[in-house]
Amino acid sequence: MTTKARKPKAAIAKAEEDGTRDKILNVAIQEFSRYGLSGARIDAIAAESGANKGMIYYYFGGKDDLYVAALEESYRRFRQIESEFHIDDLPPVPALRRLVSATFDYHAVHPEFIRMVMSENINQGEYIRKIPELQAINRPAIGLLDNLCQRGIAEGVFRADLDPVDLHMSISALSFYNVSNRYTFSYIFDRDLASKKVHEARRESVIDMILRYVRAP
Amino acid sequence: MTTKARKPKAAIAKAEEDGTRDKILNVAIQEFSRYGLSGARIDAIAAESGANKGMIYYYFGGKDDLYVAALEESYRRFRQIESEFHIDDLPPVPALRRLVSATFDYHAVHPEFIRMVMSENINQGEYIRKIPELQAINRPAIGLLDNLCQRGIAEGVFRADLDPVDLHMSISALSFYNVSNRYTFSYIFDRDLASKKVHEARRESVIDMILRYVRAP
Amino acid sequence: MTTKARKPKAAIAKAEEDGTRDKILNVAIQEFSRYGLSGARIDAIAAESGANKGMIYYYFGGKDDLYVAALEESYRRFRQIESEFHIDDLPPVPALRRLVSATFDYHAVHPEFIRMVMSENINQGEYIRKIPELQAINRPAIGLLDNLCQRGIAEGVFRADLDPVDLHMSISALSFYNVSNRYTFSYIFDRDLASKKVHEARRESVIDMILRYVRAP
Amino acid sequence: MTTKARKPKAAIAKAEEDGTRDKILNVAIQEFSRYGLSGARIDAIAAESGANKGMIYYYFGGKDDLYVAALEESYRRFRQIESEFHIDDLPPVPALRRLVSATFDYHAVHPEFIRMVMSENINQGEYIRKIPELQAINRPAIGLLDNLCQRGIAEGVFRADLDPVDLHMSISALSFYNVSNRYTFSYIFDRDLASKKVHEARRESVIDMILRYVRAP
DNA sequence: TATGAATGAGAGTTCATTCAT
DNA sequence: TATGAATGAACTCTCATTCAT
């Protein structure tokens, strides 16, 4: 059918728009995560994305707004991946192992996300507050973990006094630090955190730590 | 004797010199930790420290050099406090408990240090590499922990396969995150990490996690 | 056709662009020649050319780059005029007379060129080296003189051992000094080199000196 | 005698003063001749001369005053050398040959003097006018040449219509240019004016040009 | 939508000069 | 005389933002 072959006008416009808009947004995530809000350059984003500077203002409004959009998009991608863990099919301990392992790896593979979060904390969370959706985006992670904890407790393999938010925090902390403090730690203690070997050993250590922590006495 | 009570001329001069220089450095630590390298303003540092802008260049050379000096001073203060733990007088488990607790608290009380470290990681460790003394400043922390581990292992209360650097990393990660990600975490999960109650509960959780991890099977 | 009379869009755009850029360049030549590289003020160039300060950086990159552009343009104009001598139509002696006379006059009429060259020699030729085209721009002057010398020698009116570069240097020196040392010489010896009468007498003296030098024995 | 052995107090003071003062002045000549008035740095002069910056103000008053002092001293040294030519003992032609040759060489050996003069012409002679002695310092050069011209004319070896100021100017011009335009000329025409061989060939050319010019027909 | 030119506020830095000792 | 510290004006340069087309 011809109708299927033809894109409606609006869709075409949307698609083309998205081309430039998406390029800008992707480059912006790189630029902001690399240099922070104040260090990022609108000129650099325009040049790197091949777009005219005016387009940035056309699509996003201004530097701060672009930063907010980049921040939101970073979180969205992060949690989207998380939703693909499929840990409900496994028993509690292997499930938690997989969750920690995947979380740890995601951090390592997406330093730009870690850096965006660092930047925003340097900004004292000023901009994240402009994204009300963020809570909805992130909360499922707690629900997931909560379910897992309850399953583990019910089966008697996890201790009974687990707080899923606190546990989530520990997993995050141990995953985050490896990337966030990569440069200072590597330099000071001469241990290259980016190397595969160190990464894998550390992942095991982190998994071990979490599992020992949750294990029923 | 009165002559002894009087400061010699040189000392006075030194003290005065330190006056301006130290004021600048202290304000710089605040400014850089608050806004990062690119976001910090030389004008603001001058105004806040009551010094003429030229004095910053007179004493430190330039913005980057001042940043490096602020970075080094932050680390120096951090490790100085650490050296006052006196954990050798305690048995391994209480000693480790005290070390973790004090480390956790120091981070909470000195967010400017955490922020400096975050900034420098945003900068990809470009400036920290200009401070060769930094390794010497930080290494004792590992020695301390190493001694403790060996005591614990010898006494049979710690597991035998502990790596002090890895353990140090875990303690740091769990202490660091609470401050570094304070704003984003608090907002997203609605849990005020800066509140006393949350802080203390989290401290216990962290101590617990570390102790369970090192405990001999 | 009327369409031919109309400027194409691109040409208009080009013309307008040249407007600001050219104004800046012209003013820059004046400013740099008047005060030298270090003494020239970017603010003054912006104000005088009616351009925004940022435009200087937009078009030229920086103060030094603008200086280089001004230097190159000065040489270009100088040699362009020189190429219009048409001395090939005259016998050797009148031809040389015309060449010396015109060179001498050009210097007097374009003190900004002499001052640019002085400035660059104060700078030890640091910037001229960044203009590789400069040799190509200036070499024709030697070719011109070389042809003339050979004609004169062939006709037996010039001595046989003439070196065109050396001769060129003498003509330049005698033309240059009158402008380059105008202020000091005028003050010290109380002879106003800028006055028409002195200028003309001196021109005759210079022509005479060159002609006596080349004349066949 | 004791009086001979002892320096009077004033003299001691003078001598010591001269130590610092002279050092500053010598360094100032180098600095101003190297960078011009606006390019020279008080800090650099202080550092290079080993004197405190305050001393420059104590002895000379300010940057401009120091520049004037450096300018005057440069001229003084120049003319002092000139007064040692002893050309009265020679016949006119060899005398003139020696004068031109020595003038040419002095310029080459004292580029700092040429550069000071260039600088002052860039300044449009603004500061030289503050040195009334300068005329008295320089006029003897004309007297010397005038005497020589008259001897030569009287002996019939020089043409009768020589103007000593004009002749002086030609000698100066041909000597000056070789140093003043050293960098631009060398670069453009690929002839290293600083090399010994080129220098000597050029000196002969200049002497030749002057002698042919004055020779009686 | 897209572009190149333009703007203006403000940032880091320099530098002659002065001051207290 | 001599010094180190301090000052303030001015300078070069940057950068987010807007405008005309």
Side-chain angles (χ1 to χ4, degrees), chain B residues 50-90:
Chain B
N52 184 281
K53 236 189 325 177
M55 285 295 95
I56 293 173
Y57 294 85
Y58 183 77
Y59 282 118
F60 295 94
K63 190 187 188 184
D64 287 7
D65 305 288
L66 179 57
Y67 172 75
V68 170
L71 200 55
E72 177 174 353
E73 181 64 14
S74 299
Y75 269 102
R76 238 176 246 286
R77 291 178 189 177
F78 174 46
R79 292 304 176 192
Q80 181 187 342
I81 301 288
E82 199 175 47
S83 72
E84 296 161 2
F85 285 169
H86 302 299
I87 57 174
D88 293 335
D89 311 333
L90 295 170

mmCIF file of all heavy atoms in Angstrom, chain B residues 50-90:
data_model
loop_
_atom_site.group_PDB
_atom_site.id
_atom_site.type_symbol
_atom_site.label_atom_id
_atom_site.label_comp_id
_atom_site.label_asym_id
_atom_site.label_seq_id
_atom_site.Cartn_x
_atom_site.Cartn_y
_atom_site.Cartn_z
ATOM 1 N N GLY B 50 39.444 39.329 50.717
ATOM 2 C CA GLY B 50 39.855 40.698 51.024
ATOM 3 C C GLY B 50 41.188 41.077 50.406
ATOM 4 O O GLY B 50 41.790 42.087 50.764
ATOM 5 N N ALA B 51 41.634 40.277 49.449
ATOM 6 C CA ALA B 51 42.923 40.570 48.834
ATOM 7 C C ALA B 51 42.728 41.211 47.473
ATOM 8 O O ALA B 51 41.687 41.063 46.847
ATOM 9 C CB ALA B 51 43.730 39.288 48.684
ATOM 10 N N ASN B 52 43.746 41.887 47.039
ATOM 11 C CA ASN B 52 43.731 42.424 45.686
ATOM 12 C C ASN B 52 43.942 41.286 44.693
ATOM 13 O O ASN B 52 44.700 40.356 44.953
ATOM 14 C CB ASN B 52 44.864 43.443 45.550
ATOM 15 C CG ASN B 52 44.865 44.108 44.205
ATOM 16 O OD1 ASN B 52 45.332 43.541 43.229
ATOM 17 N ND2 ASN B 52 44.301 45.290 44.132
ATOM 18 N N LYS B 53 43.263 41.382 43.555
ATOM 19 C CA LYS B 53 43.348 40.308 42.578
ATOM 20 C C LYS B 53 44.794 39.997 42.203
ATOM 21 O O LYS B 53 45.179 38.841 42.037
ATOM 22 C CB LYS B 53 42.570 40.700 41.321
ATOM 23 C CG LYS B 53 41.525 39.703 40.946
ATOM 24 C CD LYS B 53 40.878 39.944 39.598
ATOM 25 C CE LYS B 53 40.667 41.368 39.164
ATOM 26 N NZ LYS B 53 40.085 41.430 37.795
ATOM 27 N N GLY B 54 45.589 41.056 42.094
ATOM 28 C CA GLY B 54 46.986 40.859 41.735
ATOM 29 C C GLY B 54 47.735 39.965 42.699
ATOM 30 O O GLY B 54 48.680 39.261 42.308
ATOM 31 N N MET B 55 47.336 39.969 43.941
ATOM 32 C CA MET B 55 48.016 39.158 44.952
ATOM 33 C C MET B 55 47.912 37.670 44.648
ATOM 34 O O MET B 55 48.808 36.898 44.967
ATOM 35 C CB MET B 55 47.430 39.448 46.327
ATOM 36 C CG MET B 55 47.859 40.767 46.927
ATOM 37 S SD MET B 55 49.641 40.852 47.287
ATOM 38 C CE MET B 55 50.283 41.629 45.815
ATOM 39 N N ILE B 56 46.809 37.285 44.048
ATOM 40 C CA ILE B 56 46.651 35.884 43.681
ATOM 41 C C ILE B 56 47.735 35.486 42.687
ATOM 42 O O ILE B 56 48.337 34.420 42.806
ATOM 43 C CB ILE B 56 45.248 35.653 43.076
ATOM 44 C CG1 ILE B 56 44.199 35.851 44.171
ATOM 45 C CG2 ILE B 56 45.148 34.270 42.458
ATOM 46 C CD1 ILE B 56 42.780 35.819 43.678
ATOM 47 N N TYR B 57 47.995 36.370 41.758
ATOM 48 C CA TYR B 57 49.033 36.082 40.776
ATOM 49 C C TYR B 57 50.417 36.208 41.395
ATOM 50 O O TYR B 57 51.345 35.474 41.045
ATOM 51 C CB TYR B 57 48.860 36.993 39.561
ATOM 52 C CG TYR B 57 47.581 36.651 38.844
ATOM 53 C CD1 TYR B 57 46.369 37.206 39.245
ATOM 54 C CD2 TYR B 57 47.576 35.719 37.825
ATOM 55 C CE1 TYR B 57 45.186 36.841 38.637
ATOM 56 C CE2 TYR B 57 46.404 35.350 37.206
ATOM 57 C CZ TYR B 57 45.219 35.918 37.611
ATOM 58 O OH TYR B 57 44.047 35.546 37.013
ATOM 59 N N TYR B 58 50.537 37.141 42.332
ATOM 60 C CA TYR B 58 51.804 37.329 43.032
ATOM 61 C C TYR B 58 52.177 36.069 43.812
ATOM 62 O O TYR B 58 53.305 35.595 43.764
ATOM 63 C CB TYR B 58 51.651 38.529 43.970
ATOM 64 C CG TYR B 58 52.883 38.916 44.713
ATOM 65 C CD1 TYR B 58 53.907 39.627 44.083
ATOM 66 C CD2 TYR B 58 53.029 38.610 46.054
ATOM 67 C CE1 TYR B 58 55.033 40.006 44.770
ATOM 68 C CE2 TYR B 58 54.151 38.979 46.758
ATOM 69 C CZ TYR B 58 55.154 39.679 46.114
ATOM 70 O OH TYR B 58 56.275 40.054 46.806
ATOM 71 N N TYR B 59 51.230 35.502 44.511
ATOM 72 C CA TYR B 59 51.527 34.355 45.371
ATOM 73 C C TYR B 59 51.413 33.008 44.662
ATOM 74 O O TYR B 59 52.127 32.069 44.979
ATOM 75 C CB TYR B 59 50.601 34.349 46.586
ATOM 76 C CG TYR B 59 51.005 35.323 47.661
ATOM 77 C CD1 TYR B 59 50.164 36.375 48.025
ATOM 78 C CD2 TYR B 59 52.230 35.202 48.313
ATOM 79 C CE1 TYR B 59 50.529 37.269 49.013
ATOM 80 C CE2 TYR B 59 52.595 36.088 49.306
ATOM 81 C CZ TYR B 59 51.750 37.123 49.650
ATOM 82 O OH TYR B 59 52.112 38.008 50.627
ATOM 83 N N PHE B 60 50.516 32.916 43.726
ATOM 84 C CA PHE B 60 50.252 31.585 43.177
ATOM 85 C C PHE B 60 50.541 31.449 41.678
ATOM 86 O O PHE B 60 50.679 30.343 41.191
ATOM 87 C CB PHE B 60 48.806 31.176 43.459
ATOM 88 C CG PHE B 60 48.512 31.012 44.931
ATOM 89 C CD1 PHE B 60 47.986 32.047 45.673
ATOM 90 C CD2 PHE B 60 48.815 29.815 45.571
ATOM 91 C CE1 PHE B 60 47.734 31.900 47.036
ATOM 92 C CE2 PHE B 60 48.564 29.652 46.923
ATOM 93 C CZ PHE B 60 48.026 30.703 47.665
ATOM 94 N N GLY B 61 50.572 32.531 40.969
ATOM 95 C CA GLY B 61 50.914 32.442 39.552
ATOM 96 C C GLY B 61 49.731 32.582 38.614
ATOM 97 O O GLY B 61 49.797 33.307 37.642
ATOM 98 N N GLY B 62 48.649 31.876 38.919
ATOM 99 C CA GLY B 62 47.505 31.954 38.015
ATOM 100 C C GLY B 62 46.376 31.117 38.562
ATOM 101 O O GLY B 62 46.499 30.466 39.606
ATOM 102 N N LYS B 63 45.274 31.094 37.869
ATOM 103 C CA LYS B 63 44.104 30.377 38.357
ATOM 104 C C LYS B 63 44.402 28.879 38.502
ATOM 105 O O LYS B 63 44.109 28.276 39.534
ATOM 106 C CB LYS B 63 42.942 30.572 37.380
ATOM 107 C CG LYS B 63 41.628 30.074 37.913
ATOM 108 C CD LYS B 63 40.536 30.120 36.837
ATOM 109 C CE LYS B 63 39.178 29.794 37.431
ATOM 110 N NZ LYS B 63 38.109 29.721 36.420
ATOM 111 N N ASP B 64 45.003 28.316 37.489
ATOM 112 C CA ASP B 64 45.302 26.891 37.528
ATOM 113 C C ASP B 64 46.238 26.545 38.673
ATOM 114 O O ASP B 64 46.064 25.545 39.362
ATOM 115 C CB ASP B 64 45.931 26.449 36.203
ATOM 116 C CG ASP B 64 44.902 26.396 35.093
ATOM 117 O OD1 ASP B 64 43.766 26.829 35.332
ATOM 118 O OD2 ASP B 64 45.239 25.936 33.992
ATOM 119 N N ASP B 65 47.244 27.370 38.846
ATOM 120 C CA ASP B 65 48.208 27.102 39.917
ATOM 121 C C ASP B 65 47.537 27.198 41.277
ATOM 122 O O ASP B 65 47.843 26.435 42.187
ATOM 123 C CB ASP B 65 49.363 28.086 39.832
ATOM 124 C CG ASP B 65 50.026 28.069 38.471
ATOM 125 O OD1 ASP B 65 50.714 27.096 38.164
ATOM 126 O OD2 ASP B 65 49.811 29.011 37.697
ATOM 127 N N LEU B 66 46.646 28.169 41.394
ATOM 128 C CA LEU B 66 45.921 28.284 42.659
ATOM 129 C C LEU B 66 45.053 27.058 42.892
ATOM 130 O O LEU B 66 44.941 26.550 44.016
ATOM 131 C CB LEU B 66 45.051 29.553 42.633
ATOM 132 C CG LEU B 66 44.193 29.808 43.874
ATOM 133 C CD1 LEU B 66 45.041 29.864 45.138
ATOM 134 C CD2 LEU B 66 43.407 31.113 43.720
ATOM 135 N N TYR B 67 44.461 26.571 41.825
ATOM 136 C CA TYR B 67 43.646 25.365 41.928
ATOM 137 C C TYR B 67 44.492 24.184 42.398
ATOM 138 O O TYR B 67 44.093 23.428 43.288
ATOM 139 C CB TYR B 67 43.010 25.067 40.567
ATOM 140 C CG TYR B 67 42.299 23.743 40.475
ATOM 141 C CD1 TYR B 67 41.060 23.562 41.067
ATOM 142 C CD2 TYR B 67 42.870 22.673 39.802
ATOM 143 C CE1 TYR B 67 40.404 22.340 40.982
ATOM 144 C CE2 TYR B 67 42.226 21.455 39.711
ATOM 145 C CZ TYR B 67 40.992 21.297 40.305
ATOM 146 O OH TYR B 67 40.357 20.092 40.218
ATOM 147 N N VAL B 68 45.654 24.047 41.814
ATOM 148 C CA VAL B 68 46.553 22.969 42.224
ATOM 149 C C VAL B 68 46.911 23.105 43.706
ATOM 150 O O VAL B 68 46.891 22.127 44.460
ATOM 151 C CB VAL B 68 47.831 22.964 41.356
ATOM 152 C CG1 VAL B 68 48.872 22.010 41.930
ATOM 153 C CG2 VAL B 68 47.501 22.570 39.924
ATOM 154 N N ALA B 69 47.219 24.313 44.118
ATOM 155 C CA ALA B 69 47.568 24.537 45.528
ATOM 156 C C ALA B 69 46.390 24.193 46.436
ATOM 157 O O ALA B 69 46.563 23.585 47.500
ATOM 158 C CB ALA B 69 47.986 25.999 45.734
ATOM 159 N N ALA B 70 45.195 24.553 46.005
ATOM 160 C CA ALA B 70 44.006 24.252 46.808
ATOM 161 C C ALA B 70 43.770 22.747 46.876
ATOM 162 O O ALA B 70 43.394 22.204 47.923
ATOM 163 C CB ALA B 70 42.787 24.957 46.219
ATOM 164 N N LEU B 71 44.017 22.087 45.767
ATOM 165 C CA LEU B 71 43.861 20.636 45.709
ATOM 166 C C LEU B 71 44.824 19.957 46.679
ATOM 167 O O LEU B 71 44.438 19.109 47.497
ATOM 168 C CB LEU B 71 44.144 20.187 44.272
ATOM 169 C CG LEU B 71 43.643 18.835 43.784
ATOM 170 C CD1 LEU B 71 42.156 18.687 43.996
ATOM 171 C CD2 LEU B 71 43.983 18.683 42.292
ATOM 172 N N GLU B 72 46.070 20.366 46.600
ATOM 173 C CA GLU B 72 47.082 19.759 47.463
ATOM 174 C C GLU B 72 46.752 20.001 48.941
ATOM 175 O O GLU B 72 46.809 19.084 49.760
ATOM 176 C CB GLU B 72 48.464 20.338 47.125
ATOM 177 C CG GLU B 72 49.539 19.787 48.039
ATOM 178 C CD GLU B 72 50.940 20.219 47.631
ATOM 179 O OE1 GLU B 72 51.110 20.830 46.562
ATOM 180 O OE2 GLU B 72 51.878 19.934 48.403
ATOM 181 N N GLU B 73 46.410 21.232 49.241
ATOM 182 C CA GLU B 73 46.094 21.560 50.635
ATOM 183 C C GLU B 73 44.906 20.741 51.132
ATOM 184 O O GLU B 73 44.878 20.290 52.280
ATOM 185 C CB GLU B 73 45.805 23.064 50.768
ATOM 186 C CG GLU B 73 45.484 23.529 52.170
ATOM 187 C CD GLU B 73 46.634 23.360 53.160
ATOM 188 O OE1 GLU B 73 47.776 23.128 52.708
ATOM 189 O OE2 GLU B 73 46.381 23.425 54.378
ATOM 190 N N SER B 74 43.916 20.527 50.294
ATOM 191 C CA SER B 74 42.755 19.720 50.681
ATOM 192 C C SER B 74 43.168 18.302 51.043
ATOM 193 O O SER B 74 42.740 17.756 52.063
ATOM 194 C CB SER B 74 41.743 19.665 49.526
ATOM 195 O OG SER B 74 41.284 20.964 49.222
ATOM 196 N N TYR B 75 43.989 17.716 50.227
ATOM 197 C CA TYR B 75 44.460 16.363 50.499
ATOM 198 C C TYR B 75 45.289 16.321 51.778
ATOM 199 O O TYR B 75 45.167 15.404 52.582
ATOM 200 C CB TYR B 75 45.295 15.827 49.326
ATOM 201 C CG TYR B 75 44.475 15.076 48.307
ATOM 202 C CD1 TYR B 75 44.107 15.659 47.112
ATOM 203 C CD2 TYR B 75 44.072 13.758 48.536
ATOM 204 C CE1 TYR B 75 43.363 14.970 46.165
ATOM 205 C CE2 TYR B 75 43.329 13.051 47.594
ATOM 206 C CZ TYR B 75 42.979 13.669 46.404
ATOM 207 O OH TYR B 75 42.236 12.978 45.475
ATOM 208 N N ARG B 76 46.138 17.312 51.934
ATOM 209 C CA ARG B 76 47.003 17.365 53.103
ATOM 210 C C ARG B 76 46.166 17.378 54.386
ATOM 211 O O ARG B 76 46.445 16.644 55.331
ATOM 212 C CB ARG B 76 47.864 18.622 53.049
ATOM 213 C CG ARG B 76 49.342 18.341 53.080
ATOM 214 C CD ARG B 76 50.134 19.621 52.915
ATOM 215 N NE ARG B 76 50.877 19.633 51.682
ATOM 216 C CZ ARG B 76 51.987 18.903 51.470
ATOM 217 N NH1 ARG B 76 52.443 18.113 52.411
ATOM 218 N NH2 ARG B 76 52.614 18.974 50.326
ATOM 219 N N ARG B 77 45.154 18.190 54.388
ATOM 220 C CA ARG B 77 44.308 18.270 55.580
ATOM 221 C C ARG B 77 43.573 16.956 55.817
ATOM 222 O O ARG B 77 43.403 16.511 56.940
ATOM 223 C CB ARG B 77 43.297 19.408 55.427
ATOM 224 C CG ARG B 77 43.950 20.779 55.474
ATOM 225 C CD ARG B 77 42.948 21.901 55.265
ATOM 226 N NE ARG B 77 43.643 23.174 55.111
ATOM 227 C CZ ARG B 77 43.056 24.332 54.858
ATOM 228 N NH1 ARG B 77 41.730 24.377 54.725
ATOM 229 N NH2 ARG B 77 43.748 25.438 54.747
ATOM 230 N N PHE B 78 43.124 16.366 54.748
ATOM 231 C CA PHE B 78 42.403 15.105 54.833
ATOM 232 C C PHE B 78 43.282 14.042 55.491
ATOM 233 O O PHE B 78 42.889 13.402 56.476
ATOM 234 C CB PHE B 78 41.987 14.670 53.426
ATOM 235 C CG PHE B 78 41.351 13.323 53.359
ATOM 236 C CD1 PHE B 78 40.354 12.948 54.263
ATOM 237 C CD2 PHE B 78 41.734 12.413 52.388
ATOM 238 C CE1 PHE B 78 39.752 11.692 54.185
ATOM 239 C CE2 PHE B 78 41.140 11.164 52.306
ATOM 240 C CZ PHE B 78 40.152 10.800 53.214
ATOM 241 N N ARG B 79 44.461 13.865 54.972
ATOM 242 C CA ARG B 79 45.306 12.787 55.477
ATOM 243 C C ARG B 79 45.878 13.113 56.852
ATOM 244 O O ARG B 79 46.190 12.206 57.629
ATOM 245 C CB ARG B 79 46.448 12.495 54.504
ATOM 246 C CG ARG B 79 45.975 11.886 53.189
ATOM 247 C CD ARG B 79 45.159 10.605 53.398
ATOM 248 N NE ARG B 79 44.638 10.104 52.119
ATOM 249 C CZ ARG B 79 43.727 9.154 52.027
ATOM 250 N NH1 ARG B 79 43.196 8.620 53.097
ATOM 251 N NH2 ARG B 79 43.297 8.764 50.848
ATOM 252 N N GLN B 80 46.009 14.375 57.148
ATOM 253 C CA GLN B 80 46.496 14.752 58.481
ATOM 254 C C GLN B 80 45.521 14.259 59.548
ATOM 255 O O GLN B 80 45.903 13.645 60.541
ATOM 256 C CB GLN B 80 46.635 16.271 58.571
ATOM 257 C CG GLN B 80 47.166 16.738 59.912
ATOM 258 C CD GLN B 80 47.124 18.248 60.020
ATOM 259 O OE1 GLN B 80 47.017 18.951 59.010
ATOM 260 N NE2 GLN B 80 47.171 18.751 61.243
ATOM 261 N N ILE B 81 44.256 14.510 59.335
ATOM 262 C CA ILE B 81 43.245 14.050 60.280
ATOM 263 C C ILE B 81 43.319 12.535 60.409
ATOM 264 O O ILE B 81 43.307 11.971 61.497
ATOM 265 C CB ILE B 81 41.836 14.447 59.777
ATOM 266 C CG1 ILE B 81 41.724 15.955 59.622
ATOM 267 C CG2 ILE B 81 40.757 13.923 60.729
ATOM 268 C CD1 ILE B 81 41.664 16.729 60.914
ATOM 269 N N GLU B 82 43.454 11.903 59.247
ATOM 270 C CA GLU B 82 43.494 10.445 59.243
ATOM 271 C C GLU B 82 44.618 9.888 60.121
ATOM 272 O O GLU B 82 44.491 8.821 60.716
ATOM 273 C CB GLU B 82 43.702 9.970 57.796
ATOM 274 C CG GLU B 82 43.320 8.539 57.568
ATOM 275 C CD GLU B 82 43.433 8.198 56.093
ATOM 276 O OE1 GLU B 82 44.442 8.536 55.472
ATOM 277 O OE2 GLU B 82 42.480 7.609 55.567
ATOM 278 N N SER B 83 45.707 10.636 60.176
ATOM 279 C CA SER B 83 46.858 10.127 60.925
ATOM 280 C C SER B 83 46.635 10.186 62.435
ATOM 281 O O SER B 83 47.473 9.763 63.210
ATOM 282 C CB SER B 83 48.101 10.943 60.551
ATOM 283 O OG SER B 83 47.995 12.233 61.111
ATOM 284 N N GLU B 84 45.511 10.726 62.818
ATOM 285 C CA GLU B 84 45.267 10.872 64.256
ATOM 286 C C GLU B 84 44.261 9.833 64.784
ATOM 287 O O GLU B 84 43.625 10.046 65.820
ATOM 288 C CB GLU B 84 44.762 12.300 64.540
ATOM 289 C CG GLU B 84 45.812 13.361 64.217
ATOM 290 C CD GLU B 84 45.192 14.746 64.044
ATOM 291 O OE1 GLU B 84 43.958 14.870 64.218
ATOM 292 O OE2 GLU B 84 45.930 15.693 63.741
ATOM 293 N N PHE B 85 44.146 8.748 64.085
ATOM 294 C CA PHE B 85 43.127 7.768 64.472
ATOM 295 C C PHE B 85 43.506 6.966 65.723
ATOM 296 O O PHE B 85 42.654 6.564 66.489
ATOM 297 C CB PHE B 85 42.874 6.783 63.318
ATOM 298 C CG PHE B 85 42.064 7.371 62.214
ATOM 299 C CD1 PHE B 85 41.940 6.713 61.003
ATOM 300 C CD2 PHE B 85 41.395 8.587 62.388
ATOM 301 C CE1 PHE B 85 41.178 7.242 59.986
ATOM 302 C CE2 PHE B 85 40.641 9.128 61.361
ATOM 303 C CZ PHE B 85 40.538 8.453 60.158
ATOM 304 N N HIS B 86 44.785 6.708 65.876
ATOM 305 C CA HIS B 86 45.255 5.894 67.011
ATOM 306 C C HIS B 86 44.495 4.570 67.104
ATOM 307 O O HIS B 86 43.923 4.256 68.136
ATOM 308 C CB HIS B 86 45.076 6.660 68.333
ATOM 309 C CG HIS B 86 45.800 7.954 68.336
ATOM 310 N ND1 HIS B 86 47.178 8.061 68.193
ATOM 311 C CD2 HIS B 86 45.351 9.233 68.446
ATOM 312 C CE1 HIS B 86 47.530 9.327 68.220
ATOM 313 N NE2 HIS B 86 46.442 10.069 68.374
ATOM 314 N N ILE B 87 44.519 3.832 66.059
ATOM 315 C CA ILE B 87 43.778 2.564 66.088
ATOM 316 C C ILE B 87 44.653 1.398 66.513
ATOM 317 O O ILE B 87 44.176 0.279 66.676
ATOM 318 C CB ILE B 87 43.149 2.250 64.718
ATOM 319 C CG1 ILE B 87 44.234 2.206 63.645
ATOM 320 C CG2 ILE B 87 42.075 3.256 64.389
ATOM 321 C CD1 ILE B 87 43.689 1.752 62.313
ATOM 322 N N ASP B 88 45.956 1.681 66.662
ATOM 323 C CA ASP B 88 46.849 0.580 67.033
ATOM 324 C C ASP B 88 46.606 0.104 68.463
ATOM 325 O O ASP B 88 47.019 -0.982 68.847
ATOM 326 C CB ASP B 88 48.312 1.015 66.880
ATOM 327 C CG ASP B 88 48.649 1.251 65.418
ATOM 328 O OD1 ASP B 88 47.971 0.657 64.566
ATOM 329 O OD2 ASP B 88 49.569 2.035 65.141
ATOM 330 N N ASP B 89 45.939 0.942 69.244
ATOM 331 C CA ASP B 89 45.720 0.577 70.647
ATOM 332 C C ASP B 89 44.523 -0.359 70.816
ATOM 333 O O ASP B 89 44.284 -0.890 71.909
ATOM 334 C CB ASP B 89 45.456 1.852 71.480
ATOM 335 C CG ASP B 89 46.494 2.923 71.201
ATOM 336 O OD1 ASP B 89 47.626 2.555 70.831
ATOM 337 O OD2 ASP B 89 46.161 4.123 71.341
ATOM 338 N N LEU B 90 43.774 -0.546 69.730
ATOM 339 C CA LEU B 90 42.552 -1.350 69.856
ATOM 340 C C LEU B 90 42.699 -2.716 69.171
ATOM 341 O O LEU B 90 43.500 -2.856 68.249
ATOM 342 C CB LEU B 90 41.380 -0.602 69.203
ATOM 343 C CG LEU B 90 40.945 0.707 69.848
ATOM 344 C CD1 LEU B 90 39.959 1.429 68.948
ATOM 345 C CD2 LEU B 90 40.297 0.428 71.211
#
